[in-house]
Amino acid sequence: MAAPVIPYSRSIKRKETSMKLSSKARDAIAGYLFIMPNMIGFLLFLAFPVVASLFISAAEWNLITEPIFVGINNFIALFQDSYFWQCLRNTAYFSLFSVLLGIVTSLFLAVLLNNPRVGFSGFLKSAIFLPVIFSTVSVALIWQWILDTHIGMLNHLLGYIRLGPFPWLTDPHWSMPSVIIVGVWRQIGYNMVIFLAALQGVPQDLYEAADIDGARPLHKFWNVTWPMISPSTFFVLVTSIINSFQVFDITTVLTNGGPANSTNTIIMMVYQYAFQNFKMGYASAAAYMLFAIILVITAFQNIVSKRWVHT
Amino acid sequence: MKRLAFFVSVLVTFGMAASAAPVTIKYAFWGNPDAIGVEKDIIDAFEATNPDIKVTPVAVAYNDYHAKLLIMIAGGQAPDVMRVDSYFFQDFMKNKALKDITGLIKTNKFDISKLYSVGLQDVQSGGKFYGLPWGTAPLYMFLNKKMFADAGIPLPANNWTYEDLVALSKKLAKGEGENQQWGFGFYLGEINGMLPFVWGAGGDLFDKTRTKFTMNDKAVTDRLDDVLIANVKNNAFTSPFTFQKADDIMRYFSQNKVAMMMGSAATILSLQKIDGCDFAVAPFPGTAKVPAVTVYKSNIVGLSAGTKQEKAAWKFLAYLRGPEGEELYMKAKRMAPTYDDQRYWDLYADTTKPPAKVKEITQEISGKYGRILPLRAGWMEVQTIVMGALQKVVAGQATSAQALTEIAPKVQAVIK
Amino acid sequence: MKSTSNMNRLGLPAGILTYGILWSTAFIMLAPLFWSVMTALKPNAEVFQAPYLINPDTLSLRSFADVFRQAPFFLYFLNTLKITLACTLGVAATSALAGYAFARLQFPGRDILFMIYLTTMMIPRQVTLVPMFMLMKQFGLIDNHLSLILPGIFSAFGTFLLRQFFLTVPADYDEAAKIDGCGVFRRFTLIMLPFAKATLATLVLLTFMAVWNDFLYPMVFLNSETERTLTMGLAIFRGDADVQWNILMAAVVISNIPILIAFLATQRFVINGVSMSGGIKG
């Protein structure tokens, strides 16, 4: 009885092992094939330009004549450039407040809308989401008109309740807050919808358990809701910061960096130096600095996320 | 004999075949939709009379134009014929992006005799021509006739001074809130809005060699403080922080709330579209010592240094800036005449609309009161730095002397 | 069954607050868009007057007509549509393939490659403009829509999205198919892809929005009017000095109407899709 089984099991084993090996190899080959279109695109349209830009940032180039190699001079000059630091400050200021404000308001709205007893929720969701589908330039143009000190709708409406007129875009103390509000206005809907889905994914029994323990609404939020939606919060936080650091259209159209450089951002500085000041190398260096900063912030967030993101 | 005839006929056939295939050239320019329409009309007219040349227009909004132009040049795709703003032109010339067309002008006997002098100066470097002028025009001071009449004040003479401007502004400014009126409206955009005041104070942005920053001289900073701080405080001048854009001031001018403002030839066209807006133009007020402070500038159209279709490109350039093109521009009232020729002024100026005597005033400006900008490479960078400093002054963060002295080293580094 | 109508409505104080906030927010979102349409409907003379003076007698579609007269917006629309559709389909295909590979297939260097690929999301586009232009020039694709489509059919974000999704699909499905002798490609198309429908739909919609509204690349790579996109058309109306608000707003409205219609037709889908994109763990 054993004799006929052994050869049979041995042959199966051989078959299985041979299947496993070639299947593994086949997987690996398939893996490379599957990512090949992306990798080709990555090499050609991302890796090559990025590396080329690194070389450019080590040069002085007016875009007309040949670039001149200058090593790390651009980066050294950048560190000593007060204009760069001001643009960086403005960008960080914009990012910090627009991200914070954006997350708090969109989360709040999501919590409100999550209540199944709220009627018209479909319409409300779409209405609040609507600004997201317009281009940033369109949004900025519309708001440039609304915030105009003299013919703007906002000041006119405020005039009805005897307020203003306020210099939304023309006073250096008001300009950045106005820009932040426009940025938040555009993004709230997007973040809100993400939070809504996350909220809907929180298991009801957790809330019921909390209720049994006699928890108050705020307690419930901190101890149940917040941890359960933290992966989404993390996603929104990371993508918002990456995007807000690259703000360009809103500040260019609304205030063109003014008044008194209060809304000049890093990307605007890159654009100015590349295409107005004939200093493409310097511009590339500034862009790389921005990239490095975003990278560091994201890496930092990744590390810290182990603490507060519940998986 | 027969062989010669055969040879010649073969050559002729080849020549004809070669010239029969249409040559394509690229022409880059900026504009809003109306302006682009004018360029297209000119291209159509040119192609009608030159069937062997095809012109491909590359039109972008002004804000993005020079960026696109530079990217094209860097990528080896420079347009054959390109328009360049005078602010960028010096850098283009310095880096040899444009072709020296002195020879072409001579050989083809292109008539430059009637060009306004500022146009001629702006397109040359070291005695050589690197383009032909386009859009030569002074800035004007615009005067709201109704507001002057209501206040019972006669319009100033052409040789008025800065002190006159301040006095008139104070007289014309009055009221509050909805009814507020200002004497003189200005905004902090390009630096040429401030230069007349700098010049009037006896100073300049740079020294004569244009290698030293001189705007922080005491006479200049005193004058700037007067303009930006003192007169804004008493509402004789508008605050650049309430009026941030040119069309804000223009709108208030047309609504009889601002009595005087600066503007260009394009402003004339815009104001003419508004019914009931009666205005006059005048030179900028100088001073007894420095009467000529009206900014005068010209943009340029030139050929790319590496153009592979030099003949065709030159033909188009000559058409564009010669009598045919100029006439078409004048008929469309796209810009003021670049040539001192009555024929063009008659086409351009609408004598049924204000301002009266626009040609005479312009000529007086170009002859007596005009002054060209101290253009040089790095102009845009310097402008950004200086205007940033002046905005600080208006924001009350510094005096002119402090702000300009602070940025002086930075500007020096750019123009060294 | 007991009537639950009372339970399905919010109590009075909570209701007022909740609805108050939600409706005011909706108003704040919609009002600016509404006002821009109103401005577009004004005749020239009224534009400079105070914004509230909407005179029903003088409302006119003149500005819209002017926009179409001054620029071939329908052509711009067709160009934009062509580019957007091509990029969207491309991104869906390449991201699904790569996302699956990064999630489920083992190959050497997989995770490092993925990390590197991810960091490219953080590079500002202005940095890569000039080298990209030179690259496209080498390929002879300047002023050709392919210069926008070719780089546009890859997306690190899309790959990230699909990879995260495929990670949430239980590995058993894959394993079972493998044991049954299913080849990789068939595993991918017959089993994994159907799971990914919703996420793919989201990616399609997000990519559509992004490509439709792109301005920088079209501005740099396209020259001729015949190739222009809607965003470039809008930019030309901005002008430098003499801003005609009614025409400008009309141009804004016209540029955005197609995507607005697309959104209204698929809103539930879009919103559900977007909500899924963020609810992914890890």
Side-chain angles (χ1 to χ4, degrees), chain B residues 31-34 36 40 56-59 61 63-64 68 71-72 74-77 247 250-251 255 270 273, chain C residues 48 70 129-130 133-134 137 142 215 219-225 228 235-243 245:
Chain B
N32 61 20
D34 279 334
I36 294 179
K40 281 210 236 153
T56 311
V58 178
N63 289 320
D64 311 302
K68 179 154 177 76
I71 294 178
M72 286 171 83
Q77 286 243 328
D247 47 295
M250 193 171 70
R251 193 176 350 108
Q255 290 170 355
S270 303
K273 286 190 202 152
Chain C
F48 290 143
Q70 291 180 1
L129 267 186
V130 174
F133 186 85
M134 293 167 117
K137 182 204 143 206
I142 299 293
F215 171 69
M219 190 277 285
V220 169
F221 292 115
L222 301 177
N223 289 341
S224 319
E225 186 180 53
R228 241 181 244 151
I236 291 184
F237 275 88
R238 256 187 77 198
D240 32 335
D242 186 8
V243 177
W245 282 112

Side-chain angles (χ1 to χ4, degrees), chain A residues 139-160:
Chain A
V139 165
L141 284 172
I142 294 175
W143 277 93
Q144 189 188 15
W145 173 76
I146 294 177
L147 292 177
D148 191 288
T149 316
H150 306 281
I151 57 164
M153 185 53 108
L154 188 56
N155 275 344
H156 171 66
L157 287 179
L158 291 173
Y160 280 139

